[in-house]
Amino acid sequence: LLRSYSYTSNAYSHSQTLQLPENLNTLPLQCLGLLKHEAFRDRNVPSDQRATIHSLMYPLGLGNVEISVRPRLIPIHNLDGKSMPEELQLTASVVDSTSVLLLDNGRHFLVRIGNRVDPKWLNTVFQDADSKKGIKLRSYEENCPVELERVYQVLDSIKTPFHKGTTIVKEGDSDELLFFSSLIQDRSFGEQSLAEYMQFIVRR
């Protein structure tokens, strides 16, 4: 589809980059997400794991399938309580030690906590925040701190019946690899980065 569009329209700029209309802007990233998704990629996925993922995806609606293929990344450390924070690009360049980021793949929430997040905020929102194991989101209760309430507002606004829980990882944890592997704009699983994929389309 992208190749056909590039052939039938004036889709190239002088810098030889593909310029897409607004309604096709996310299509390259969605295609790249399909190539990297464990339900579809052709390497490093055992057949039983692939079958499990297929069974989990069958009942999903179109919106949830899209989020599974192209997760959303949301900063939750500086919420104002008035509007949803803007989604970030799915690349490691937006991740730093001062942020707390929520990754939503339509089936699970993954929260990554940087090492230089404000300790007061951290202990307000998370239980056992200073421990190396067992950190978890505090329970929502009446008259809970506003910081915790705002985090739950975000979670509740995007949560669906298909979400099965929340995993929290801290910067430097071994489980952090799971977080970074979901940043599909970067090179991963032997597949191209988004920039490389767009260049591949242009060359073809």
Side-chain angles (χ1 to χ4, degrees), residues 75-119:
I76 59 172
H77 57 283
N78 194 25
L79 302 172
D80 60 14
K82 298 176 182 178
S83 60
M84 276 287 289
E86 186 175 346
E87 290 184 31
L88 302 176
Q89 294 189 42
L90 292 165
T91 172
S93 64
V94 305
V95 182
D96 61 35
S97 296
T98 65
S99 62
V100 180
L101 303 178
L102 169 67
L103 184 77
D104 173 25
N105 66 7
R107 295 181 285 113
H108 199 83
F109 293 133
L110 180 60
V111 178
R112 188 261 188 192
I113 302 173
N115 283 338
R116 293 194 289 126
V117 175
D118 178 17

Side-chain angles (χ1 to χ4, degrees), residues 72 74 84-85 109 151-160:
R72 48 188 166 195
I74 302 172
M84 276 287 289
F109 293 133
V151 170
Y152 271 101
Q153 285 177 349
V154 171
L155 293 174
D156 291 343
S157 68
I158 61 178
K159 188 174 183 179
T160 73

Side-chain angles (χ1 to χ4, degrees), residues 41-53:
R41 69 175 186 261
D42 61 357
R43 65 185 79 181
N44 301 325
V45 183
S47 58
D48 55 342
Q49 180 180 339
R50 192 189 305 275
T52 299
I53 297 300

Side-chain angles (χ1 to χ4, degrees), residues 20-91:
L20 297 174
E22 185 176 352
N23 62 336
L24 289 179
N25 268 343
T26 62
L27 185 58
L29 188 57
Q30 290 169 340
C31 293
L32 188 60
L34 283 169
L35 292 173
K36 296 183 178 184
H37 198 283
E38 56 192 338
F40 307 107
R41 69 175 186 261
D42 61 357
R43 65 185 79 181
N44 301 325
V45 183
S47 58
D48 55 342
Q49 180 180 339
R50 192 189 305 275
T52 299
I53 297 300
H54 284 175
S55 67
L56 291 172
M57 293 185 69
Y58 285 145
L60 298 181
L62 181 59
N64 287 92
V65 171
E66 181 181 358
I67 294 170
S68 180
V69 169
R70 181 177 61 90
R72 48 188 166 195
L73 186 63
I74 302 172
I76 59 172
H77 57 283
N78 194 25
L79 302 172
D80 60 14
K82 298 176 182 178
S83 60
M84 276 287 289
E86 186 175 346
E87 290 184 31
L88 302 176
Q89 294 189 42
L90 292 165
T91 172

